[in-house]
Amino acid sequence: MTRAPLDRITVLDLSTILAGPLTSSLLAEFGADVIKVEEPSAGDPARTYPPVVDGESAHWSVLGRNKRSVTIDLHHPEAGELVGRIVGTVDVVITNFRPATLRRFGIDFDQLVHWRPDLVMVHISAFGRTGPYADRPGFARVAEAFAGLTHRTGAPDGPPVFAGYPIADGVTGMYGAFAAMLALRQRDLTGEPQLVDIALYEPLLRMMEDFIADYDVTGQPVMRQGNENPHISPNNLYRTRDGHWLALPASTDQMWQRLVKAMGADDLADVGDMTDRVQLRRRIEARVSDFVAEHDLESLMVDLTAAGVAAGPVNSAADIFADPHIAERGSIVRVPDRHGRPRAMQAPAGRFTGFEGTIRTPAPALGEHTDDVLRDLVGLDENEIATLHTRGVV
């Protein structure tokens, strides 16, 4: 069997909820052994996110897969040393506690590097380790607002709105996995420890490539435009005759010409430049909206695809479950949970020629692997492990 690219990389996940755990989940899908540290009485709060079936969150079945669960009370005065002993056996630590909290627990980078001189630590926090806001608390929605994404989301005449999913957690989780790969590579090149300091808002700010550059040139901030795009027209959601919604962004001049031909709109063929189309946005959007409204979704998709026009339906979860392309690609899989019940979840993303993302184990029970990790990785004997349980450390 082909080795996974992160085989023999061990990750200690000292994070909660989403951005940090998503980082470790992505690493686990490609072979990393992820040990998740959880609070002993309740575990990661994601375990209780509804819907809950037989005491177990559907969300947790995805976030906890491929991980081993170890319970440690990080508030206990002996916890810092125990975490350090585990760190001595791993390659990467992922955490999202505030900097002051890490120092209070005795598990900040400078403290843990004594246990593993070439440690890689990925520290995700709301505002980063430096700057006047370093110790402010924050979640994804705070980061989205701070980075400017919320400011530009919503209808022009309405208030700012959140995206339908806490996108800062998702984007930062992916960036965190990428950053871990960079740091591992640098460690392997230099033999030196690596600290990755990621503020939750920073990957979002980086992602919006027009946001700062446009303001620098125009002096005008990008404002809310609903489903429109300040740089592209047409770019919107259009309703079909049978009541469905269609995403149709003509993001290039070539795509616009294909759309004009599919619409039979010869009078629009000379509006070929994106700058002109943006200036004529109202006229163009109205024409495209009228065109889409004359067709049912299924037949329109056949025609647009044949014409080479990029467009697609606005899918609900039910639509995704029923879609033949999703099925053919294996984008949704059913994985038995630890009770043997099949749980539907997203498959690892991407297809690779020399390896694949895998779901090897279901989400663990709280503390399921505590004794195994302390015995097999740290080298504690049964009496020492029992003493830790008795003293409330684990």
Side-chain angles (χ1 to χ4, degrees):
M1 182 177 178
T2 303
R3 284 182 58 186
L6 297 183
D7 185 32
R8 301 183 188 176
I9 295 294
T10 305
V11 177
L12 187 66
D13 184 350
L14 289 168
S15 63
T16 62
I17 310 293
L18 194 49
L22 177 58
T23 295
S24 67
S25 288
L26 294 173
L27 300 177
E29 288 174 4
F30 295 96
D33 176 17
V34 174
I35 301 165
K36 180 171 178 59
V37 172
E38 300 186 71
E39 191 274 330
S41 64
D44 193 305
R47 287 180 176 271
T48 64
Y49 281 7
V52 175
V53 179
D54 295 334
E56 194 159 278
S57 167
H59 189 174
W60 174 248
S61 68
V62 181
L63 202 57
R65 68 192 191 186
N66 287 338
K67 298 180 182 180
R68 297 195 279 171
S69 174
V70 171
T71 52
I72 301 176
D73 181 1
L74 295 177
H75 296 87
H76 195 285
E78 298 175 33
E81 180 179 354
L82 182 61
V83 170
R85 295 181 70 175
I86 298 174
V87 167
T89 71
V90 308
D91 300 279
V92 180
V93 170
I94 297 168
T95 186
N96 60 357
F97 291 106
R98 281 182 275 170
T101 303
L102 287 177
R103 292 191 290 272
R104 187 171 72 251
F105 288 161
I107 56 173
D108 202 1
F109 178 72
D110 292 339
Q111 295 158 312
L112 292 182
V113 79
H114 292 297
W115 298 93
R116 174 85 192 216
D118 61 350
L119 176 68
V120 169
M121 176 184 258
V122 178
H123 185 192
I124 298 169
S125 58
F127 294 94
R129 295 172 63 94
T130 60
Y133 307 155
D135 280 316
R136 281 189 184 180
F139 292 110
R141 297 308 196 183
V142 174
E144 291 160 19
F146 188 77
L149 178 65
T150 309
H151 168 81
R152 64 186 295 180
T153 306
D157 57 352
V161 298
F162 291 138
Y165 175 84
I167 191 173
D169 279 330
V171 172
T172 304
M174 294 177 187
Y175 194 90
F178 165 67
M181 295 295 90
L182 296 178
L184 281 169
R185 172 64 171 163
Q186 186 71 359
R187 183 200 70 178
D188 291 345
L189 289 172
T190 66
E192 298 175 351
Q194 304 294 322
L195 172 61
V196 179
D197 172 14
I198 304 175
L200 193 59
Y201 74 88
E202 286 177 329
L204 272 182
L205 186 60
R206 172 63 183 87
M207 180 183 73
M208 297 185 292
E209 299 194 352
D210 63 338
F211 197 48
I212 300 303
D214 284 12
Y215 179 75
D216 181 53
V217 171
T218 68
Q220 299 295 320
V222 174
M223 301 301 292
R224 292 181 288 284
Q225 293 189 261
N227 292 320
E228 295 177 355
N229 184 303
H231 308 288
I232 300 170
S233 179
N235 183 101
N236 218 314
L237 298 179
Y238 306 94
R239 195 162 194 175
T240 61
R241 182 169 57 193
D242 53 349
H244 295 284
W245 289 95
L246 180 79
L248 203 168
S251 301
T252 66
D253 294 343
Q254 182 183 51
M255 194 63 65
W256 166 244
Q257 292 299 333
R258 292 176 184 174
L259 177 60
V260 167
K261 185 176 180 180
M263 293 169 58
D266 295 341
D267 61 305
L268 295 179
D270 60 342
V271 188
D273 179 81
M274 186 67 78
T275 300
D276 292 340
R277 296 203 300 277
V278 169
Q279 291 175 349
L280 297 173
R281 183 190 301 277
R282 297 278 74 80
R283 173 188 171 195
I284 289 173
E285 294 285 352
R287 289 289 295 278
V288 175
S289 179
D290 290 344
F291 166 73
V292 172
E294 295 170 354
H295 299 80
D296 292 340
L297 176 64
E298 186 173 350
S299 61
L300 181 58
M301 278 302 305
V302 171
D303 293 343
L304 291 177
T305 300
V309 175
V314 176
N315 282 337
S316 68
D319 296 324
I320 290 172
F321 265 81
D323 190 276
H325 186 83
I326 296 287
E328 177 69 22
R329 289 277 295 176
S331 303
I332 302 294
V333 295
R334 291 192 178 272
V335 178
D337 66 14
R338 59 191 178 89
H339 304 291
R341 298 169 301 199
R343 291 289 186 92
M345 61 186 69
Q346 300 93 323
R351 305 295 179 266
F352 306 87
T353 57
F355 58 92
E356 62 181 3
T358 59
I359 303 172
R360 301 178 300 282
T361 59
L366 180 61
E368 180 179 342
H369 305 96
T370 301
D371 292 4
D372 293 342
V373 168
L374 295 181
R375 181 180 57 250
D376 300 339
L377 264 68
V378 182
L380 302 185
D381 61 33
E382 298 302 327
N383 288 334
E384 291 172 311
I385 294 171
T387 298
L388 290 173
H389 280 286
T390 301
R391 294 174 64 85
V393 184
V394 300

